Amino acid sequence: MRKHLLRGGSLVAALLLWQLLTSLHVDFWLHFDRLPTVVDVARDLGYQLQTPLYYRDLGDSLGRILMGFALAALAGVAIGVAVGRSALTGDIVSPPLEVLRPIPAIAMVPIAILLFPSNEQGIVFITFLAAFFPIMVSTRHAVAALPVVWEEAVLTMGGNRRRVLWSVVLPGALPGVFSGLSVGMGVAWICVISAEMISGQYGVGYRTWQAYTVVDYPGVIVGMLSIGLLGFGSAAAVELVGRRVTRWLPREAEIAR
Amino acid sequence: MMLIEDLSVGYRETSVLHGIDLKIEAGEILVLVGGSGCGKSTVLRTLAGLHRPSGGAITLDGRPIVRTSAERALVFQEDGLLPWRSVRRNVELPLAIRGVPRISRRSQALSWIERVGLDGYADHLPRELSGGMRQRVQLARTLASGPRVILADEPFGALDAQTRRAMQLLLVDVWSQQPTTIVFVTHDVDEAVFLGDRVAVLGGRPTSIRSIVDVPFPRGGGDNSAARAEILAALGSTQ
Ligand SMILES: Nc1ncnc2c1ncn2[C@@H]1O[C@H](COP(=O)(O)OP(=O)(O)OP(=O)(O)O)[C@@H](O)[C@H]1O
Ligand SMILES: [Mg+2]
């Protein structure tokens, strides 16, 4: 109880400090006088919440990230499993991927713009690329680290390769897959917002940058807060699902109790 | 009948087993004993088809053993349960692989869980069970799959004397109802002479069969102390 009070108080104090610094136009090396006050931001948020445009932007960004992330999850898990299970597949598939991996997805924006017929597809592609690598790499590690006895158990029951894949490899690798999904969701947000700022039409990132260029600073802060909220929500969703499907892990039990 | 002729097995360069000849009759219980690290698990894994021999031949009823099969089930020395499946779903797995319909899978699994003394634990996850309970789930899973050959690698090692005897009796009961060949690894000489029709003593380096002791009164009914002494003597000479 005391902990909650302290934490709440800390947040309120930060807001108060912001309000004071900006409303008193403090200009002491940092230009607080140029930033909007808490009240300005709250008023703008209240206004934006009543416009359909705000929701259209949220929906567009969410749609892009879900699309890119879902494709990345499918491709990342499929390729991660294939490479983790077969050295031959690894030798064939890995080299080009390892060349691309160190390049931040956002550096691919020019290529995406050139390659795809519309900006929309380019943004989804950038999001896909950003999330793909962490998901693929951690799936590959999880699959390669599976204890052999699980697979051997299914084999001695007469299970075939497909049975081993569905009953051992995929469920056994799930904890690793989900740590990849968490990281992937994080970088996917960074990239969708950046890509929208560079080349978007609609979307929270686009709207935030737009607000900056038309000197609507409360709008910038509202955009930032919306980005933070969406990022938090999506990370929490991945975390929640991950926890549910990996309840069998021994260390989860210790934490829960 | 399982026929093992001049079998040698190794890991990479190191040779573990050499020149093993063994004839295991259908419906027989053969017990393997030998010092730790002598290669008992390696024998079972090779018979299961998990490990390819470096020389010699193994046949089951004339057909060579080249890969794993549902007819040869292995009870692993280590924990072989899938940790994300409940006890019941672990026991159901071999039934699912065999294509048993879902409803009868469930009832068969529950009845095996009861027979190994774990009723009430069907919905528990393996991590909620003790080591000995997990071994009993493995036994239930193996018995449920109804194999022709059971390869059991120290399945009762972690059990107290009373539960151990109950599990031995359960195994004998199932074995006497369905004709099954059992190859059973143990460290416990009393367990060996109680269960086995014959006890093979492994030893040497690389390991071969030191002697094969016939048990006059397997599964009770007479005095086996001579066979017991013979096994202990063979074990002692291999150290
Ligand atoms: N995967 C492996 N790679 C290399 N060597 C191995 C491997 N597994 C076993 N060995 C070696 O083979 C020998 C026999 O091992 P095995 O597990 O068959 O012994 P065991 O008789 O079952 O012992 P225990 O009674 O302790 O279970 C050991 O010396 C071990 O070092
Ligand atoms: Mg062993």
Side-chain angles (χ1 to χ4, degrees):
Chain A
M1 187 61 215
R2 189 157 147 248
K3 213 156 101 183
H4 291 295
L5 274 177
L6 267 175
R7 289 177 177 182
S10 161
L11 264 180
V12 172
L15 283 176
L16 273 176
L17 184 66
W18 172 12
Q19 177 69 23
L20 274 176
L21 287 170
T22 48
S23 62
L24 297 176
H25 302 285
V26 172
D27 184 5
F28 184 71
W29 190 60
L30 288 171
H31 306 292
F32 286 106
D33 55 329
R34 294 191 202 158
L35 294 189
T37 64
V38 177
V39 175
D40 290 339
V41 173
R43 196 178 300 123
D44 191 60
L45 178 65
Y47 164 73
Q48 285 208 38
L49 283 176
Q50 284 160 27
T51 62
L53 190 62
Y54 180 75
Y55 299 98
R56 155 128 213 215
D57 285 331
L58 282 190
D60 276 20
S61 289
L62 262 180
R64 287 165 184 156
I65 197 143
L66 288 182
M67 184 72 159
F69 183 76
L71 291 175
L74 280 178
V77 170
I79 294 178
V81 167
V83 170
R85 292 287 291 171
S86 146
L88 179 68
T89 316
D91 288 338
I92 295 169
V93 176
S94 289
L97 293 180
E98 290 306 310
V99 171
L100 289 182
R101 183 147 79 102
I103 306 174
I106 203 69
M108 305 279 242
V109 165
I111 295 293
I113 292 174
L114 291 175
L115 201 57
F116 285 92
S118 80
N119 280 351
E120 191 61 34
Q121 290 151 352
I123 294 174
V124 171
F125 173 73
I126 292 295
T127 315
F128 162 83
L129 215 56
F132 170 77
F133 283 107
I135 297 172
M136 191 272 283
V137 169
S138 79
T139 303
R140 187 181 72 197
H141 283 312
V143 167
L146 284 176
V148 279
V149 64
W150 297 342
E151 176 176 353
E152 290 177 343
V154 169
L155 287 175
T156 55
M157 291 173 210
N160 54 18
R161 282 172 67 92
R162 186 186 313 160
R163 172 62 74 170
V164 169
L165 180 69
W166 285 103
S167 296
V168 175
V169 177
L170 289 176
L174 264 191
V177 169
F178 265 89
S179 70
L181 291 177
S182 290
V183 178
M185 186 54 106
V187 289
W189 266 112
I190 298 175
C191 286
V192 83
I193 297 298
S194 318
E196 281 177 352
M197 284 184 168
I198 297 171
S199 72
Q201 265 175 336
Y202 299 108
V204 194
Y206 166 78
R207 190 66 54 207
T208 305
W209 193 250
Q210 191 70 11
Y212 174 71
T213 56
V214 301
V215 206
D216 169 17
Y217 297 144
V220 172
I221 308 262
V222 169
M224 283 166 46
L225 293 176
S226 311
I227 292 167
L229 197 71
L230 285 178
F232 172 79
S234 53
V238 172
E239 180 90 347
L240 193 76
V241 178
R243 242 170 230 231
R244 296 209 139 210
V245 298
T246 58
R247 239 183 301 202
W248 51 272
L249 281 180
R251 68 190 150 74
E252 294 265 332
E254 284 155 22
I255 293 165
R257 261 154 228 175
Chain B
M1 184 189 69
M2 199 174 329
L3 195 59
I4 303 170
E5 288 170 305
D6 194 25
L7 178 75
S8 34
V9 186
Y11 295 96
R12 309 234 167 141
E13 275 90 67
T14 54
S15 161
V16 176
L17 304 170
H18 186 75
I20 305 247
D21 285 294
L22 200 56
K23 193 162 133 184
I24 306 168
E25 299 294 342
E28 175 183 21
I29 301 184
L30 177 81
V31 176
L32 300 179
V33 295
S36 178
C38 75
K40 303 179 295 296
S41 298
T42 305
V43 172
L44 290 197
R45 293 170 54 81
T46 309
L47 296 182
L50 288 171
H51 198 81
R52 196 173 289 272
S54 51
I58 319 168
T59 54
L60 178 58
D61 297 336
R63 283 171 292 121
I65 291 177
V66 285
R67 64 174 67 85
T68 52
S69 149
E71 66 179 9
R72 281 168 279 120
L74 177 59
V75 181
F76 290 83
Q77 182 173 12
E78 66 269 43
D79 185 2
L81 301 176
L82 302 182
W84 53 88
R85 284 178 167 248
S86 67
V87 167
R88 174 173 63 76
R89 302 233 311 128
N90 262 292
V91 178
E92 282 178 0
L93 186 57
L95 301 170
I97 290 173
R98 239 176 42 196
V100 175
R102 194 174 293 267
I103 312 164
S104 76
R105 223 145 77 192
R106 191 190 168 94
S107 61
Q108 286 182 42
L110 288 175
S111 105
W112 282 112
I113 290 165
E114 196 191 314
R115 288 187 76 177
V116 297
L118 290 176
D119 38 338
Y121 289 97
D123 294 322
H124 283 57
L125 287 171
R127 67 166 158 82
E128 299 166 320
L129 306 181
S130 72
M133 290 160 92
R134 285 201 286 263
Q135 281 189 328
R136 278 139 76 194
V137 179
Q138 260 209 87
L139 181 67
R141 177 175 82 178
T142 304
L143 296 178
S145 70
R148 290 178 53 207
V149 179
I150 294 176
L151 308 162
D153 200 349
E154 299 185 39
F156 307 145
L159 302 181
D160 62 275
Q162 209 178 341
T163 319
R164 176 181 271 245
R165 182 41 61 106
M167 290 303 111
Q168 289 166 353
L169 292 174
L170 170 66
L171 185 65
V172 169
D173 186 35
V174 174
W175 167 83
S176 61
Q177 282 167 23
Q178 318 163 351
T180 320
T181 309
I182 299 178
V183 184
F184 192 102
V185 168
T186 181
H187 274 297
D188 179 347
V189 179
D190 292 316
E191 183 168 67
V193 291
F194 176 72
L195 284 176
D197 294 296
R198 292 186 299 155
V199 178
V201 182
L202 303 182
R205 187 146 282 275
T207 300
S208 56
I209 294 179
R210 270 304 157 89
S211 70
I212 297 184
V213 177
D214 283 302
V215 179
F217 301 102
R219 293 156 307 271
D223 179 18
N224 288 326
S225 54
R228 190 175 181 282
E230 201 180 331
I231 294 164
L232 281 173
L235 275 173
S237 70
T238 67
Q239 300 299 299

